[in-house]
Amino acid sequence: LAIIIYFSSWLRTRNLDLLKDVTSGKYIPQALDPFVFMRYAQTILEKGSLPLVDYMRNVPFGLKVSSIDSFTSYFVVYLYKVMSLFSSNLTIEYAHVLYPVVAFAIGLIFFFLLVKEIFDWKVALISSFILTVLPTFMYRTMAGFSDHDILAMMFFFIVMYLFVLANKTKDVRRSLLIGALAGIFTGFQGLSA
């Protein structure tokens, strides 16, 4: 599994050099929608939170910023804070374009655990490899495609694994605890979708 995660993450970061803006040298997303998440992450990092109304959307009236619009950006900011512990010259833009690969790797671990819990480790390993090379999934998890889709998928795999684990557990207290965790991650999935 470690080899699959390493290889597929390496493959998903081959476009990092192409994601640098030639005028500023900063990293930029590869699609249009992620620019708003990047702008929100920059605002959160600078000011600590987002304003209630984003006046750059639906000009001149603005658009009320909800938790659904901002959850991905908060995730990116906290990812940046964790990553900056290991490197002091890291930028929020770099963390933003790398976030889909990180979320993919975490999601793949829970996908493997989910399939292993249902079948066995061999089927889980083959399934994990097949998931990593699916073209539609690969596009959404490439570095720079920093939309909210992969974050929702990561939480989906976590929730499904916890659901199967709670269903297989014989101890009622442990099953309730795992079910509560599944509920919390379901809420995170709803916020990121």
Side-chain angles (χ1 to χ4, degrees):
L1 180 64
I3 292 169
I4 292 172
I5 291 172
Y6 175 79
F7 172 73
S8 57
S9 297
W10 173 82
L11 190 64
R12 283 163 170 74
T13 56
R14 296 302 86 208
N15 64 342
L16 276 176
D17 291 339
L18 301 172
L19 297 175
K20 278 193 176 178
D21 185 358
V22 294
T23 58
S24 67
K26 293 182 179 181
Y27 286 95
I28 58 171
Q30 69 176 2
L32 293 177
D33 287 349
F35 273 97
V36 84
F37 295 120
M38 185 171 72
R39 185 168 54 84
Y40 285 175
Q42 290 167 334
T43 304
I44 293 166
L45 192 62
E46 290 171 10
K47 299 182 179 180
S49 65
L50 288 171
L52 294 176
V53 178
D54 181 5
Y55 288 103
M56 292 181 75
R57 294 172 72 182
N58 293 353
V59 175
F61 305 108
L63 183 70
K64 186 176 179 184
V65 178
S66 68
S67 58
I68 294 172
D69 293 335
S70 61
F71 186 77
T72 302
S73 301
Y74 278 101
F75 184 86
V76 169
V77 169
Y78 287 113
L79 176 66
Y80 164 74
K81 289 181 179 184
V82 169
M83 290 172 66
S84 64
L85 294 174
F86 302 103
S87 175
S88 60
N89 56 357
L90 189 77
T91 63
I92 187 73
E93 292 84 10
Y94 181 74
H96 185 260
V97 298
L98 205 60
Y99 127 77
V101 180
V102 173
F104 158 77
I106 295 168
L108 190 62
I109 292 169
F110 282 96
F111 177 79
F112 172 82
L113 292 173
L114 168 66
V115 178
K116 185 180 132 226
E117 197 67 37
I118 297 171
F119 299 104
D120 66 3
W121 71 270
K122 294 174 190 174
V123 175
L125 208 56
I126 292 168
S127 301
S128 298
F129 178 74
I130 290 172
L131 182 66
T132 63
V133 296
L134 284 175
T136 53
F137 195 70
M138 186 178 285
Y139 175 69
R140 293 287 192 179
T141 57
M142 291 290 291
F145 197 87
S146 308
D147 213 340
H148 56 87
D149 303 342
I150 187 56
L151 190 60
M153 284 305 298
M154 179 189 81
F155 287 128
F156 175 74
F157 292 144
I158 293 171
V159 167
M160 293 309 295
Y161 169 67
L162 290 173
F163 175 75
V164 169
L165 200 63
N167 196 27
K168 284 189 160 190
T169 303
K170 302 297 181 204
D171 183 26
V172 176
R173 287 184 185 181
R174 186 166 183 223
S175 180
L176 288 173
L177 177 67
I178 296 170
L181 279 173
I184 291 168
F185 282 106
T186 300
F188 289 153
Q189 181 189 3
L191 287 173
S192 60

